[in-house]
Amino acid sequence: MAAQARRATRERRTSETEIGVTVNIDGAGEADVGTGGAFLDHLVSSFAKHSMVDVRLKASSRDGIAHHLTEDTAIALGEALDEALGDRSGIARFGSASAPMDEALASASVDLVRRQHSHVSLGLAGDSVEGMPREDLEHFFGSLLKSMACCAHIDVLRGSNDHHRAEAAVKSLALSFRRASEPDARRTGPPSSKGMM
């Protein structure tokens, strides 16, 4: 794989939100995140920490609707990761990982093939997690994966605490992304029999 910076900056400005995000896939997992939503910040920061992607993300709402802020944050982050991956030549492409969080256990598998498909099963029991509506939390994962242009499956296998279930899910995704995006020294070109991703 050619030695090039796998970094990207994306801005998303709509009548509903304003988002600015910069990522460095070959970073140290540093996060500087501010969305105004404590649990949303926690999810993005956890993704950065465990994927080893540096993430700088600032988001603000223009209409005061938390759903729009969550969705647009996920879209902007996913688009930045997609752009930073470039043509995806020379990467491992596939990554799978399980992550425990106390009594909770989640499993994720990622294929960075650029075919959008996601299955996310968090199995949350309550209507919200740390003030974040369950449907917004589920939508965060779906919007992130779609914007990242990948195929991914996330299943929370067990857990009695919804916070732990959500955190195990984002950590397993982060670990899977890290493995899938790692350079493969034995590979040149796109990791696909089609010759393109």
Side-chain angles (χ1 to χ4, degrees):
M1 181 176 198
Q4 60 185 29
R6 296 195 296 170
R7 298 184 174 128
T9 297
R10 297 288 291 191
E11 292 185 356
R12 182 175 176 85
R13 289 189 177 94
T14 72
S15 61
E16 300 168 344
T17 63
E18 184 170 344
I19 319 287
V21 57
T22 298
V23 299
N24 174 11
I25 291 178
D26 301 308
E30 297 177 359
D32 180 8
V33 181
T35 66
F39 198 62
L40 182 56
D41 289 356
H42 182 52
L43 291 174
V44 175
S45 296
S46 292
F47 178 84
K49 185 71 167 178
H50 298 287
S51 66
M52 297 298 287
V53 175
D54 291 342
V55 177
R56 178 178 171 79
L57 189 151
K58 299 300 174 188
S60 60
S61 174
R62 290 180 166 178
D63 62 7
I65 297 175
H67 176 84
H68 295 158
L69 185 67
T70 298
E71 178 180 61
D72 285 353
T73 295
I75 290 171
L77 177 58
E79 288 177 346
L81 291 168
D82 177 33
E83 183 180 333
L85 285 167
D87 68 1
R88 307 188 185 201
S89 291
I91 62 171
R93 176 180 164 177
F94 298 99
S96 295
S98 293
M101 177 65 189
D102 294 348
E103 87 296 343
L105 177 65
S107 175
S109 294
V110 171
D111 177 1
L112 295 177
V113 68
R114 293 192 59 81
R115 286 199 300 273
Q116 297 168 340
H117 177 82
S118 65
H119 162 83
V120 180
S121 178
L122 304 179
L124 302 176
D127 293 331
S128 66
V129 179
E130 305 298 345
M132 186 175 187
R134 177 176 62 192
E135 63 181 12
D136 288 359
L137 182 52
E138 293 167 343
H139 194 54
F140 168 81
F141 282 97
S143 297
L144 173 63
L145 296 170
K146 183 175 181 181
S147 300
M148 199 189 302
C150 70
C151 174
H153 294 253
I154 303 172
D155 289 284
V156 180
L157 306 174
R158 64 179 64 93
S160 58
N161 181 290
D162 281 350
H163 181 132
H164 294 170
R165 293 178 75 92
E167 191 164 340
V170 78
K171 287 176 178 176
S172 65
L173 172 61
L175 293 168
S176 298
F177 179 84
R178 179 180 175 184
R179 292 171 183 165
S181 63
E182 284 180 344
D184 183 342
R186 297 174 59 198
R187 189 182 299 282
T188 58
S192 170
S193 58
K194 298 179 187 300
M196 61 178 292
M197 298 286 275

